[in-house]
Amino acid sequence: MKVMAQIAMVMNLDKCIGCHTCSVTCKQAWTNREGAEYMWFNNVETRPGVGYPRRWEDQDDWHGGWRRTASGRVVPRLGGRLSTLAKIFANPCLPGMDDYYEPWTYDYDKLLSAPAGQRAVPTARARSQITGRTMDTIEWGPNWDDDLGGSMETLDTDPVLHQMSLRVSKTIEDSFMFHLPRICEHCLNPTCVSVCPSGAMYKRAEDGIVLVDQDRCRGWRMCVSGCPYKKVYFNHETHKAEKCTLCYPRLEVGQPTVCSETCVGRLRYLGVVLYDADRVDWAVSRPDETALYAAQREILLDPHDPEVIGRAAANGVPHSWLVAAQESPVHRLIHDYELALPLHPEYRTLPMVWYIPPLSPVVDAVTASGGDGENHRVLLSALSQMRIPLEYLAGLFTAGDTAPVERSLRRLAAMRSYLRDVFMDAPGDEEIPAAVGMTGQDMEDMYRLLSIAKYDDRFVVPTTHSELPRGLARLEGCPIRGLDDDAFFPTARGKGRHPSIPLQVLR
């Protein structure tokens, strides 16, 4: 067992309102410069839809991710070394400008410098940021599905609908839509790293973040093709590949990513998970695609297990990271509550950005049909007939297996039903959590994490320097009085390791 640490993220889609604040703040922080006009390290897609770049999930066209051969080996869909070298000067598997969009701005100076009293109303026409020419019509954008409000123009070309052979209602009263924020998945088995001819793509051993060495990058763009999520971009000014860095300069000082910090819905959670690096090959080579989600969960380790703690320390995982893994909200949402699911595990990259699926307005639907929306038996039985089909969510998160999706949604619905009684000063009905394999205390703990968790509960990010515990920077230099050294460092005296302040002291 080789225990390694990975920074992971969970997004609660039940709380995403599609405001795009995360996208805008990420854009301002990382891609507000020449050559990066079309890059959106974070974008929010509306589902059903084709996403950004257009139809990024169609691996028959883009050949991203991994495939399992008849012999059981896992190889890049893009091909081996000879195939990569054959395409190195002319790669047919690259999205074009039409698939992304031609970025534009507006001639605001025409509005600001227009003389007063002129007869014609001044306008700010769209102008391409690539060519500088005036654009008469805007035909595509990074959030085009959202601009169209899930219209029929893009609905029929959604790759997930085709993959799951689904036909969804197009009438306004029966249609559905939800928002899907996306960033780089910082996978445990990243294809982009494997297919890079120059070795510029690499995965950091200390935290699992996938980065691009700008000095080594030669602009071959194989990483763009190899990434099945199409979250690697090519800067046409610097001729280098660029991607989401998971805001590692912020993480190194114990702060969350910009998209997490500014999220209006507070739907993002950051934390450390421990995994067995020796079993990554086993997990990605499962013959049945529907077993990949379970295999990915299986290689994630229990941070409270003494054997795991010992192996992690022997492999150089800092003590502060072990503490962070034990308090990680990500581990609780993935392992303890079994709510979070990976995005497209069938790509076999073991993505480390997980999602809690959205729960349809099922209470109103049950009530409108004449049922008792307060009865948990009626509520849980109605989940299979939700407005958002289970099959569609399964096509996104579990390679078509509806059982994990239904379990996650049943637990979310049971939490609402159980807490409704508690908030009405009625005793909690233990039959409700028991129906989904949980207890009443589990329901209350899950509610606190999903609904009213504080900043330090949602973002458990250890600092790079283990002698600077998480949260100490916010004390702004003011000493904590009334505590002696032994209270601060109860486990560090003479142990030969950096001190670690217990989080309860800081609280």
Side-chain angles (χ1 to χ4, degrees), residues 38-268:
Y38 80 105
M39 297 184 196
W40 293 84
F41 291 170
N42 186 114
N43 69 293
V44 182
E45 299 173 0
T46 299
R47 292 308 181 115
V50 297
Y52 165 78
R54 196 178 340 219
R55 293 180 59 82
W56 60 269
E57 294 160 297
D58 189 353
Q59 305 310 327
D60 290 336
D61 281 347
W62 306 127
H63 303 285
W66 304 83
R67 63 179 179 87
R68 187 179 186 273
T69 65
S71 62
R73 293 180 60 246
V74 175
V75 298
R77 284 181 178 268
L78 193 61
R81 293 183 179 180
L82 292 178
S83 177
T84 301
L85 289 174
K87 298 190 289 280
I88 201 166
F89 294 110
N91 185 358
C93 304
L94 283 174
M97 186 62 72
D98 291 341
D99 298 305
Y100 290 107
Y101 76 109
E102 186 171 358
W104 72 88
T105 185
Y106 294 96
D107 289 331
Y108 293 111
D109 287 342
K110 295 292 182 65
L111 297 179
L112 300 176
S113 61
Q118 68 176 7
R119 301 177 65 89
V121 178
T123 60
R125 299 186 66 183
R127 184 174 297 277
S128 170
Q129 292 182 289
I130 304 297
T131 64
R133 296 195 299 266
T134 299
M135 301 174 65
D136 295 328
T137 58
I138 306 298
E139 299 179 350
W140 194 251
N143 59 335
W144 205 250
D145 295 313
D146 190 41
D147 294 339
L148 297 176
S151 79
M152 304 308 109
E153 182 176 337
T154 60
L155 176 64
D156 290 332
T157 54
D158 185 325
V160 176
L161 291 179
H162 287 273
Q163 172 191 346
M164 300 302 295
S165 301
L166 279 176
R167 285 186 171 274
V168 296
S169 176
K170 298 181 180 179
T171 57
I172 190 65
E173 64 272 13
D174 296 325
S175 62
F176 71 93
M177 58 183 288
F178 63 92
H179 301 288
L180 180 72
R182 290 206 306 119
I183 64 172
C184 169
E185 298 287 331
H186 297 279
C187 309
L188 298 183
N189 185 39
T191 324
C192 57
V193 174
S194 176
V195 300
C196 177
S198 59
M201 303 284 297
Y202 67 100
K203 185 175 178 66
R204 300 209 307 189
E206 60 268 30
D207 52 20
I209 298 176
V210 178
L211 298 173
V212 185
D213 186 338
Q214 296 289 296
D215 292 331
R216 298 186 65 178
C217 180
R218 297 295 177 263
W220 299 119
R221 287 173 278 185
M222 292 301 165
C223 53
V224 179
S225 300
C227 174
Y229 303 97
K230 290 297 170 283
K231 277 300 174 181
V232 184
Y233 303 91
F234 179 71
N235 189 311
H236 53 82
E237 290 289 334
T238 64
H239 303 285
K240 307 285 186 179
E242 298 184 17
K243 62 178 292 297
C244 162
T245 64
L246 206 62
C247 295
Y248 73 87
R250 293 174 58 91
L251 296 181
E252 288 176 353
V253 295
Q255 296 180 357
T257 62
V258 169
C259 58
S260 301
E261 180 91 64
T262 60
C263 176
V264 173
R266 298 183 178 181
L267 59 96
R268 299 184 186 228

Side-chain angles (χ1 to χ4, degrees), residues 68 103 107 228 231 236 282 304 322 328-329 345 448 468 496 498:
R68 187 179 186 273
D107 289 331
K231 277 300 174 181
H236 53 82
W282 170 86
H304 299 279
L322 291 175
S328 171
R448 293 190 64 85
L468 180 62
H498 289 298

Side-chain angles (χ1 to χ4, degrees), residues 491-502:
T491 62
R493 296 294 178 195
K495 301 295 184 181
R497 62 187 181 196
H498 289 298
S500 175
I501 297 180

Side-chain angles (χ1 to χ4, degrees), residues 10 14 17 20-21 68 141 165 171 177 221 238 324 399-400 432 441:
V10 169
D14 213 26
I17 60 175
H20 298 272
T21 303
R68 187 179 186 273
S165 301
T171 57
M177 58 183 288
R221 287 173 278 185
T238 64
I432 298 175
Q441 187 61 50

